[in-house]
């Protein structure tokens, strides 16, 4: 058997013993503790000792979704950052890029995810969806169509549904109650 | 190389009860009985090296699928005689075209067990010990017993796990704890094999960014403008399954689940006039199956076993450290040294031994860290295993860990405990190994 050990300097060897923390866990610790979130975003941990599952609340301070509280659940698995975090929008929201089941159309959550991206990139991306809803990548086709056709009417729909109003038979969640 | 090798003596009337075929190792012995121009200085020709290979060396094969079958057969024929194999899967009928240790009667049986029995029956004198289960079921003591580990896996997750386990196993006081890891992988006509000396050379995690990202389609395309049969299948599995089945998890190994997806995807395909949704494609898309090519497996397995043989016997220099094969357009192969990443979360970073006074609080430890000229870190966050000790951010975690600042270090961390430190000023992490004085 090859004597690999002689390839290794002892002082170097002593410095390399690693703990039993998973790579995903360490990466999440690094991502989270270096988060610098603006006042419009806040994280909540149901169990502070479980850093892989949490809620992000976005409260836009401008744009047509201004003032609403939008909760997103984040679930990170042990294959992070090879795989992106799983993100769902918790309340039912009238938005071209969110469907009624809470799926989110954000490229970096699926096809454009790369391990160099981090939790900050995802959070900033989500906030951007509220500032600039994108009718070209629709998940809620009706909302996208409304936005494309008449921006003012769309804004009115947003205001109504954010208060818990209904639109075409769908009742949306009130995102103001706190 | 054209080296004339004399023909082996005729196998004259070997009785089938004999534990070994006569001259079973005739050709292998040509390499082991005398040094060659590039053998290692440590090579001891003849009996010493043969006895190590055949009587002492214990090798672990992870995966008994396409690569695993080839690897097991090669190792047994090369003269490794104490082989262990782990696989969590059972045999599917679709495996039989290339996983040649299995027969139609074996369908449904555990791969590890059937493969082990086949090898032992076919190559007398070889002991193969199977384990039908997950690699994660086994602890450090289990992995410690082997000299070499070879992986023929199809999952990134399992590779990351075994890589991290073997890196963690390295104990600077004990040379035996360093287990060479040989990793093979194939994807259609492409493949790679590599040699990893945990903590010494670039590890699997170091090269994670070289991986192709798994094919994913934009969710809006799936939802609105499907053009491919794959879009319809993704629609069924990503959007319709959770809608219809609520909290019931999709099991891609359950044929009924696949049938449901197939039915839903077909209906959508018809609606959008898309052709090509089949049951097989549905299964292929949701399980992310890449067509396996038997000959690619054979080439990659041969390379892996060749490396195992060279490392075990020192008969020739081993691969340094990454070989790739691209067989999609002709045959192209390339060897290079993948470099260690200093900020690798598994093998990078540094470990420091810290002597902590009995009376030290966590706050004192953090102060010591930030004042230490050698490390110079700002705003460190500390954790032990998966448990946060003190986090600088986000606000809720800072608040929930703040009470720990006043606690004594020894109340939260045991002697020899390893604390993971992250900070924006660190390239990745710093590990502190605590000793109380």
């Amino acid at each position: 058997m090859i004597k690999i050990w002689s390839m290794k300097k002892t002082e170097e060897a002593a410095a390399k013993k690693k703990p039993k923390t998973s790579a995903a866990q360490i990466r999440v610790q690094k991502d989270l503790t270096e988060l610098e979130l603006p006042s419009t975003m806040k994280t909540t941990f149901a169990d502070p000792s479980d850093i892989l599952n949490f809620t992000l609340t976005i409260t836009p301070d401008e744009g047509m979704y201004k003032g609403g509280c939008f909760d997103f659940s984040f679930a990170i698995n042990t294959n992070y950052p090879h795989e992106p975090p799983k993100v769902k929008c918790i309340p039912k929201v009238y938005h071209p890029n969110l469907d009624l089941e809470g799926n989110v159309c954000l490229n970096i959550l699926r096809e454009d995810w790369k391990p160099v991206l981090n939790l900050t990139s995802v959070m900033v991306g989500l906030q951007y969806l509220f500032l600039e809803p994108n009718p070209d990548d629709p998940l809620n086709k009706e909302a996208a169509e409304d936005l494309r056709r008449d921006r003012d009417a769309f804004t009115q729909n947003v205001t109504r549904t954010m208060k818990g109003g209904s639109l075409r038979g769908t009742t949306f969640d009130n995102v103001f109650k706190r | 190389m054209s080296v004339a090798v004399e023909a082996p003596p005729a196998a004259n009337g070997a009785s089938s009860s004999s534990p070994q075929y006569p001259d079973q190792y005739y050709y292998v012995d040509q390499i082991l009985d005398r040094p060659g121009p590039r053998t290692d200085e440590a090579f001891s020709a003849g009996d010493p090296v043969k006895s190590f290979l055949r009587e002492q060396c214990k090798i672990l094969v992870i995966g008994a699928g396409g690569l695993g079958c080839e690897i097991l057969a090669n190792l047994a024929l090369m003269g490794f005689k104490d082989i262990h194999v782990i696989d969590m899967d059972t045999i599917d009928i679709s495996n039989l075209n290339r996983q040649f240790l299995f027969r139609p009667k074996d369908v449904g049986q555990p791969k590890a067990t059937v493969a082990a029995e086949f090898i032992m029956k076919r190559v007398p004198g070889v002991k193969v010990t199977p384990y039908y289960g997950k690699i994660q079921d086994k602890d450090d003591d289990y992995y410690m017993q082997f000299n070499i580990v070879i992986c023929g896996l199809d999952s990134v997750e399992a590779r990351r796990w075994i890589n991290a386990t073997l890196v963690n196993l390295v104990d600077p006081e004990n040379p035996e704890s360093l287990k060479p890891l040989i990793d093979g992988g194939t994807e259609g006509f492409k493949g790679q094999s590599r040699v990893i000396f945990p903590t010494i050379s670039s590890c699997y995690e170091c090269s994670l960014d070289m991986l192709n990202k798994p094919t994913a389609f934009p969710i809006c395309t799936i939802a609105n403008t499907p053009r491919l049969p794959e879009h319809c299948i993704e629609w069924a599995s990503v959007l319709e399954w959770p809608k219809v089945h609520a909290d019931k998890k999709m099991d891609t190994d359950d044929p009924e689940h696949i049938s449901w997806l197939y039915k839903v995807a077909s209906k959508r395909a018809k609606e959008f006039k898309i052709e090509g949704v089949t049951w097989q494609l549905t299964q292929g898309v949701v399980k992310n199956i890449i067509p396996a090519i038997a000959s690619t497996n054979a080439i990659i397995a041969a390379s892996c076993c060749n490396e195992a043989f060279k490392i075990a016997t020192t008969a020739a220099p081993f691969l340094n450290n990454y070989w790739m094969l691209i067989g999609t357009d002709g045959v192209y192969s390339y060897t290079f040294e993948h470099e260690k990443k200093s900020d690798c979360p598994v093998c990078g970073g540094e470990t420091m031994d810290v002597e902590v006074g009995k009376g030290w609080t966590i706050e004192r430890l953090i102060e010591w860290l930030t004042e230490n000229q050698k490390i110079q870190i700002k705003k460190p966050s500390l954790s032990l295993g998966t448990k946060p000790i003190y986090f600088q951010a986000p606000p809720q975690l800072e608040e929930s860990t703040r009470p720990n600042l006043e606690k004594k270090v020894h109340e939260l961390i045991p002697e020899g405990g390893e604390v993971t430190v992250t900070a924006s000023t660190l390239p990745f992490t710093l590990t502190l190994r605590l000793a109380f004085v």
Side-chain angles (χ1 to χ4, degrees):
Chain A
M1 183 79 182
I2 197 132
K3 298 275 176 288
I4 321 152
W5 206 250
S6 53
M7 291 159 59
K8 197 172 169 81
K9 290 183 216 103
T10 34
E11 61 274 14
E12 189 195 3
K16 292 294 179 188
K17 180 93 169 90
K18 295 294 294 176
K20 298 260 179 286
T21 319
S22 79
Q25 186 85 25
I26 299 175
R27 218 349 247 278
V28 174
Q29 171 174 336
K30 191 166 169 66
D31 280 12
L32 281 176
T33 55
E34 288 165 29
L35 268 183
E36 282 179 22
L37 291 180
S39 59
T40 50
M41 286 196 270
K42 194 180 155 228
T43 50
T44 314
F45 294 78
D47 171 6
S49 64
D50 173 12
I51 60 170
L52 301 180
N53 293 285
F54 58 88
T55 306
L56 171 75
T57 308
I58 301 179
T59 317
D61 58 359
E62 58 180 308
M64 36 197 152
Y65 290 91
K66 182 175 170 179
C69 291
F70 303 96
D71 287 342
F72 288 86
S73 65
F74 276 64
I76 301 167
N77 69 25
T78 52
N79 222 4
Y80 183 79
H82 181 61
E83 281 175 29
K86 293 214 167 15
V87 177
K88 287 252 177 184
C89 181
I90 300 168
K92 201 183 268 189
V93 180
Y94 169 79
H95 189 293
N97 311 112
L98 300 174
D99 72 10
L100 304 178
E101 277 72 45
N103 293 304
V104 184
C105 187
L106 182 64
N107 62 339
I108 55 169
L109 281 176
R110 275 180 74 83
E111 71 276 12
D112 290 332
W113 172 259
K114 297 180 199 79
V116 293
L117 295 171
N118 58 23
L119 293 175
T120 308
S121 348
V122 172
M123 292 176 182
V124 170
L126 289 173
Q127 171 160 272
Y128 186 72
L129 286 183
F130 289 102
L131 303 179
E132 287 293 336
N134 174 6
D136 298 329
D137 289 332
L139 209 47
N140 180 337
K141 247 195 292 187
E142 288 179 343
E145 199 46 46
D146 293 345
L147 172 58
R148 223 183 333 237
R149 207 178 303 139
D150 182 346
R151 201 176 167 90
D152 290 338
F154 174 79
T155 311
Q156 277 170 24
N157 288 345
V158 169
T159 315
R160 190 161 103 216
T161 54
M162 279 171 69
K163 288 181 200 145
S166 329
L167 190 72
R168 297 184 196 105
T170 308
T171 307
F172 291 87
D173 288 325
N174 183 345
V175 288
F176 289 111
K177 55 174 180 204
R178 272 298 144 125
Chain B
M1 219 167 35
S2 60
V3 175
V5 177
E6 34 179 317
N12 38 8
S15 81
S16 59
S17 62
S18 147
Q20 290 176 25
Y21 299 109
D23 304 308
Q24 183 174 356
Y25 299 122
Y26 178 83
Y27 291 106
V28 177
D29 286 349
Q30 306 307 304
I31 298 164
L32 298 181
D33 280 335
R34 58 193 75 95
R38 301 195 65 206
T39 41
D40 193 85
E41 280 172 27
F43 181 75
S44 31
D47 289 339
V49 65
K50 288 197 246 178
S51 100
F52 176 79
L53 180 66
R54 293 168 198 166
E55 282 153 40
Q56 286 174 40
C57 189
K58 210 173 192 181
I59 188 161
L60 173 66
V61 178
I62 301 180
L67 274 172
C69 282
E70 299 272 0
I71 291 170
L72 287 167
N74 290 347
L75 292 179
L77 294 170
M78 278 174 152
F80 286 90
K81 293 171 90 172
D82 190 354
I83 305 171
H84 288 238
V85 58
I86 305 188
D87 196 297
M88 60 182 282
D89 270 342
T90 53
I91 298 160
D92 186 83
I93 191 156
S94 65
N95 301 148
L96 301 181
N97 72 333
R98 61 191 186 284
Q99 300 178 20
F100 54 84
L101 302 179
F102 311 139
R103 296 290 174 268
K105 68 171 169 44
D106 302 320
V107 169
Q109 299 295 310
K111 288 186 176 178
T113 322
V114 175
E117 277 163 17
F118 192 109
I119 296 284
M120 286 195 283
K121 213 169 130 200
R122 183 66 183 78
V123 192
V126 175
K127 195 173 120 217
V128 186
T129 313
Y131 175 70
Y132 168 45
K134 293 182 163 189
I135 50 172
Q136 289 88 344
D137 296 345
K138 299 293 190 183
D139 59 9
D140 285 0
D141 288 344
Y142 175 81
Y143 290 106
M144 199 65 186
Q145 64 178 310
F146 301 105
N147 297 96
I148 299 173
V149 178
I150 303 195
C151 287
L153 285 162
D154 59 358
S155 115
V156 173
E157 202 168 348
R159 282 195 179 88
R160 287 178 75 188
W161 190 89
I162 188 67
N163 175 65
T165 300
L166 294 185
V167 171
N168 285 329
L169 205 60
V170 178
D171 173 358
E173 312 290 313
N174 177 15
E176 296 290 306
S177 66
L178 203 148
K179 314 289 179 192
L181 170 63
I182 301 163
D183 179 51
T186 68
E187 202 176 87
F189 286 104
K190 295 183 223 167
Q192 114 269 319
S193 69
R194 62 192 293 192
V195 172
I196 294 168
F197 289 108
T199 72
I200 294 179
S201 62
S202 153
C203 80
Y204 186 71
E205 196 82 18
C206 291
S207 62
L208 208 59
D209 55 4
M210 280 172 58
L211 289 175
N212 288 331
K213 57 185 177 201
T215 33
F217 303 106
I219 198 158
C220 14
T221 305
I222 300 170
N224 299 306
T225 50
R227 296 178 306 275
L228 299 172
E230 287 85 351
H231 293 154
C232 302
I233 297 164
E234 288 270 284
W235 180 78
S237 64
V238 178
L239 297 171
E240 285 301 289
W241 180 277
K243 204 161 158 184
V244 175
H245 296 92
D247 292 331
K248 193 165 118 194
K249 252 195 111 182
M250 191 169 74
D251 177 4
T252 54
D253 287 324
D254 186 335
E256 274 180 35
H257 290 191
I258 302 289
S259 293
W260 186 89
L261 294 171
Y262 168 56
K263 211 177 69 198
V264 174
S266 303
K267 209 175 141 217
R268 184 162 174 90
K270 215 169 153 192
E271 214 177 293
F272 285 88
K273 299 189 173 57
I274 295 165
E275 280 174 26
V277 174
T278 60
W279 201 92
Q280 275 79 8
L281 186 73
T282 307
Q283 189 192 37
V285 169
V286 295
K287 291 185 79 169
N288 198 12
I289 297 177
I290 295 130
I293 310 283
S295 52
T296 314
N297 284 342
I299 296 167
I300 296 301
S303 161
C304 291
C305 295
N306 207 9
E307 294 313 316
F309 183 85
K310 291 189 290 182
I311 290 168
T313 63
T314 68
F318 53 84
L319 169 68
N320 182 28
N321 51 28
Y322 201 118
W323 178 65
M324 61 159 105
L325 167 76
I326 299 164
T328 40
D329 299 291
V331 180
Y332 174 76
S333 88
Y334 184 65
T335 305
F336 65 98
E337 183 180 349
H338 191 278
E339 285 183 23
K340 262 186 93 155
K341 251 174 81 177
S342 59
D343 58 353
C344 170
V346 169
C347 76
E350 275 186 70
T351 300
M352 267 182 79
D353 283 300
V354 183
E355 293 190 337
V356 175
K358 267 270 185 291
W360 279 29
T361 57
I362 296 293
E363 191 164 24
R364 176 77 188 84
L365 178 64
I366 291 175
E367 243 170 61
W368 178 86
L369 274 172
T370 44
E371 283 166 5
N372 192 314
Q373 286 300 316
K374 247 167 65 190
I375 34 188
Q376 305 209 355
I377 47 179
K378 279 183 202 140
K379 291 188 141 200
S381 294
L382 277 58
S383 66
L384 180 73
T386 60
K387 198 178 80 186
I389 300 281
Y390 181 70
F391 274 18
Q392 302 278 353
Q396 190 204 350
L397 293 185
E398 194 279 327
E399 221 166 280
S400 72
T401 54
R402 201 185 304 152
N404 285 343
L405 287 177
E406 291 170 20
K407 290 190 186 150
K408 295 274 191 298
V409 175
H410 67 86
E411 286 173 42
L412 296 171
I413 302 158
E415 175 86 32
E418 291 181 337
V419 178
T420 306
V421 180
T422 56
S424 51
T425 46
L426 282 173
F428 203 78
T429 53
L430 171 72
T431 305
L432 302 178
R433 197 166 26 210
L434 300 191
F436 296 103
V437 289

